[in-house]
Structure formats: structure tokens, C-alpha cells
Amino acid sequence: MQERKSSPRHIILTSHPSNFGSQPIPIRWGDKDPMQRGPVVATLANPTHRNAIGTHSGGYAVYRALAVASGVLQADHRADLTNTSPVEHIGPYPSWYDPEKIVSLDPFGAMVGEAFASYYQEGYDIRPTIAITKAHVYLPELQAAVEKGRLAIDGKLLKSKGDVLVTKAAIEPVWYLPGIAKRFQISEADLRRALFEQTGGMFPELVTRSDLEVFLPPIGGVTVYIFGDLAAITDPNRPLAVRVHDECNGSDVFGSDICTCRPYLVHGIEVCIQTAQEGGAGVIVYCRKEGRALGEVTKFLVYNARKRQEGGDRADAYFARTECVAGVQDMRFQELMPDVLHWLGITRIERLVSMSNMKYEAITNSGIEVVERVPIPDDLIPQDAQVEIEAKKAAGYYTPGAVLDPLGLAEIKGREME
């Protein structure tokens, strides 16, 4: 038998010395003083100022490149940030200064204008990675909840037309690579190598500039929707409801009934409103992780494979078909998810509107107390989604059993929808 030899791995590095200054502003992750911590400079206006790998806007940076290439955007455009500051202030909280608590976002990302004013005066182009605003959200299911007596219009939070007032924050990912590696219990060198290779060598600095420890990955970020008084989020004497929801475009936007995503999202919003009306607050964390972070094309391929197999769509083959196509069952990796909760200053969740064991364990392992886990009511589960429920039950994705709804709506059996 001939010995099998592995193919050599070829790595091509691009030339990059001119893209960075010899001594960019150092970033001391976790420092309490933002000036000592240092700003994240990932803009392209002055390459010598850059102290981070990647650029702002995640995957949208490719559209920016297209706009520059087509001539509709000047490559040296500098944003006019007049009147763009947050409409509500969040933090700082002790968790901001703990490099173990937050590794995947910049806690100072919304306040760069005030925190790094002196750097702006010196000509540094520092962009916010977090924006905070207010809006009204309308979902027809909320009006139905009012009609059925589950929600009450108060004229302040929930208006007469069924729209609800929210504070919302958009967050771009900012990865502190040593912290990311520690969170996943791998070496930083292995993390950098995998990121470099699996992006097709897009970011050579990952393997050539170990002094640059911050990376803005080209992925989707997080949106946070806050219901009620922001001060209640960090007050242990006031109730807090939280739902962490991973994106599902087909269900969340278009109402596809093959999964329970939109029904559980709406149920989470309902619980958040009720909790806010009790004098507390509610938080929806919406993560861009379409199709368990496998992507929508992969998800649809799996749908086809599931429905065409012998015997039709079956719970016992639910995850097997996913793994056949994607190689893994799930790539959401909830280890990074609690960071946004720590950014909000959360230490205790009265009502976690999720029965996902992965999310629950990630949250509690990060030091946040969870008092109750609120499942989706049986009558909100679409018929076509029963396969998903039974598959996740068999796989241990959630813990079945009687759960008393803390809102007093009903005693319902534990169900999982993520």
C-alpha cells in the first residue's frame, strides 16, 4: 500500500507595509479610561492611523468598494457625524472594563465622539461602531394580543394603533482576538490562521501583524430593541425580560411556517412589553446568523433534502440532512452572544424567553443569573414546524417539561424555537 502524502499548503501574502503606521495608537482592551484603552481606527482615510484589521460596516464594505469603483463615492469621504450621537446613553458599566466579559464588540463604540474628542482634533477619522436611536415598532400580532386581552394599551409604551415605542441600538462586531481565542479555548495563532485561510487570504495582517489585536470581521452585527425604562435593565429590583433571537428571514419577515421563528420572536416582544408595563424592561437581541449561521442558500438546500428523502420530512433526519450539506449542524456558536448583554449592564434576567440550552448555558456561564425560562405556547407553533420541535427535543436542544409562565398566561410545556 502506498503511503498517502498530504498536499502542501500554499499561502500567498499581499504587500501591505504602507497600510499601517509603524506605531499606531495601541489598544489596551479592558482599560477603564477610554483614552488609555484607545480608539478603534479602522477607516481608510489615513492608512498610517489604522490600528485594527478590517474595516467598518461588515459585509457592506463590499458595497462601499463597488460604490468607489463605479465612481459614485469618493474613496476619501469622511462622515459628517453632526447630531448623530445616541438619543439615549447606555453605560459605562463595570462589565465594560472586564476583558473576559466583552470581546466581540467595542463597549465605547457609541460614544467615540466624546470619549476620543482629542483624537478627532488631531485628525483621526474614528467611526462609531454602535448607534442608538428611538423608533416605533408595529406588528399585527400585537394588535391581536390587545384584542385578546393579553396586552393593554397604555398610551405611552403601547399606543392606540398597536405600535410600541422602542429604543434600539445597532452594533457592528469588533473582535478582540486574544479574548475571542480564550473564549473558544483555542490558541490565538490557530484562530488567526483559520480566519485568514477561510476568508481566502482576505486579511493577511491576521498572520503577519500579531501586534494588531482588534479585527472588524466582514459579518452581520446585532440589533437591540429595548422596551420600557432603560434604567430598569440594570436594577435588580425591577423585572427584566430578554429574548436573544437569531435571524430567520423566511419566517421573521415573510411568515414561512416551516419553523417557529416569527411566532417566538413576537411572543418574546409580547413578554417584553408586559414586563415593561409592570415597571421593568424588555430586551430583544436580534443576531444576524441566518440559518444557524450556515446561510440562507444552505438552509434552502437542506429544506429540499429533508422533504425529498424517503418518508418525507422526519424529525429523526432533521439534523443529519443539515450536517450532510453543511458539515455541521449549527455554526451560531453562542459563546460570543452574552457580550451584548454585558454591554447593556445586565446581571440578572427575570424572564429569558427561550428554551435553548445553548443560549441559556452561554448566558449563565458568563455570570448572568436567569430566574425563569419562558417557552413558546403550543398554540403558536405552526403545524409544519412540528418536525423542528420534535427534532430539537430529541437532540437535546431544549429541556422539555412543565414550565409555569411567570406572566400568569398559562402553564405550558417547554418548547424550543431558535
Side-chain angles (χ1 to χ4, degrees):
M1 181 180 290
Q2 279 190 324
E3 182 181 353
R4 201 175 197 178
K5 294 182 179 180
S6 59
S7 300
R9 297 161 87 185
H10 298 286
I11 299 174
I12 300 175
L13 300 181
T14 58
S15 177
H16 61 80
S18 63
N19 290 338
F20 290 90
S22 58
Q23 290 184 323
I25 299 170
I27 297 178
R28 300 180 178 88
W29 200 264
D31 198 293
K32 187 173 184 178
D33 182 350
M35 287 297 290
Q36 292 299 315
R37 202 296 301 271
V40 174
V41 186
T43 48
L44 303 171
N46 188 334
T48 64
H49 289 172
R50 286 168 51 79
N51 63 359
I53 303 167
T55 63
H56 294 284
S57 301
Y60 292 103
V62 176
Y63 287 103
R64 183 175 65 234
L66 185 60
V68 171
S70 63
V72 300
L73 174 65
Q74 294 297 315
D76 60 353
H77 171 74
R78 184 163 179 167
D80 180 356
L81 299 175
T82 304
N83 294 329
T84 62
S85 59
V87 299
E88 293 279 2
H89 288 282
I90 294 176
Y93 300 112
S95 52
W96 289 26
Y97 319 131
D98 185 342
E100 301 284 325
K101 296 289 188 186
I102 299 178
V103 300
S104 63
L105 60 88
D106 179 7
F108 296 104
M111 56 175 62
V112 294
E114 56 188 271
F116 305 114
S118 61
Y119 282 116
Y120 275 103
Q121 293 172 1
E122 294 177 28
Y124 283 85
D125 184 9
I126 305 167
R127 303 287 176 90
T129 56
I130 301 175
I132 304 171
T133 189
K134 285 185 177 293
H136 286 86
V137 173
Y138 175 80
L139 296 171
E141 292 95 332
L142 297 182
Q143 188 65 48
V146 170
E147 294 170 358
K148 294 178 180 179
R150 297 198 308 268
L151 287 178
I153 292 174
D154 55 33
K156 184 177 180 182
L157 177 64
L158 185 59
K159 305 300 182 64
S160 59
K161 295 184 179 179
D163 54 321
V164 58
L165 179 65
V166 298
T167 300
K168 60 181 184 178
I171 304 173
E172 289 183 3
V174 178
W175 286 9
Y176 176 57
L177 293 173
I180 297 285
K182 187 172 183 180
R183 190 75 63 85
F184 282 91
Q185 300 180 1
I186 58 178
S187 73
E188 185 182 344
D190 286 345
L191 171 66
R192 285 173 174 265
R193 172 69 59 176
L195 288 170
F196 170 71
E197 292 181 347
Q198 294 304 312
T199 56
M202 186 182 295
F203 303 100
E205 296 80 17
L206 286 165
V207 292
T208 63
R209 292 292 302 268
S210 60
D211 59 314
L212 298 176
E213 297 182 325
V214 172
F215 174 45
L216 278 65
I219 59 175
V222 173
T223 309
V224 179
Y225 292 82
I226 302 171
F227 302 79
D229 184 4
L230 269 68
I233 294 176
T234 56
D235 187 342
N237 297 313
R238 300 168 72 179
L240 175 67
V242 172
R243 171 157 180 78
V244 178
H245 188 91
D246 293 326
E247 178 183 23
C248 177
N249 183 67
S251 180
D252 296 342
V253 179
F254 293 100
S256 172
D257 64 354
I258 197 172
C259 64
T260 53
C261 294
R262 181 180 173 95
Y264 213 165
L265 174 60
V266 174
H267 180 58
I269 292 173
E270 186 175 327
V271 174
C272 285
I273 294 172
Q274 291 167 327
T275 305
Q277 290 180 328
E278 294 174 9
V283 173
I284 299 290
V285 178
Y286 195 87
C287 306
R288 295 319 192 284
K289 298 177 182 178
E290 177 65 58
R292 297 192 216 117
L294 302 173
E296 202 164 28
V297 168
T298 296
K299 182 166 72 169
F300 286 10
L301 293 174
V302 172
Y303 284 169
N304 289 344
R306 282 169 45 193
K307 292 178 180 294
R308 288 171 175 166
Q309 65 191 340
E310 186 177 353
D313 199 5
R314 309 191 317 270
D316 63 335
Y318 180 90
F319 289 112
R321 295 308 298 140
T322 301
E323 196 163 358
C324 284
V325 176
V328 295
Q329 295 180 2
D330 196 320
M331 288 201 304
R332 286 177 290 181
F333 298 115
Q334 301 297 349
E335 287 88 345
L336 301 178
M337 173 269 293
D339 289 23
V340 65
L341 304 180
H342 289 295
W343 174 69
L344 291 167
I346 294 173
T347 58
R348 183 177 188 271
I349 298 173
E350 189 81 21
R351 300 155 185 165
L352 178 63
V353 191
S354 170
M355 292 307 293
S356 166
N357 288 337
M358 290 189 298
K359 291 179 181 178
Y360 171 78
E361 290 166 4
I363 291 170
T364 55
N365 288 342
S366 77
I368 297 174
E369 178 189 2
V370 173
V371 179
E372 305 226 31
R373 297 167 70 178
V374 182
I376 183 172
D378 287 340
D379 60 359
L380 292 183
I381 300 172
Q383 181 59 39
D384 205 24
Q386 293 295 335
V387 170
E388 173 201 18
I389 292 295
E390 293 306 317
K392 289 184 174 181
K393 177 181 177 181
Y397 258 54
Y398 73 98
T399 303
V403 178
L404 181 63
D405 187 334
L407 298 173
L409 297 177
E411 183 167 321
I412 52 183
K413 291 185 177 180
R415 295 291 192 182
E416 159 65 8
M417 184 293 300
E418 301 303 330

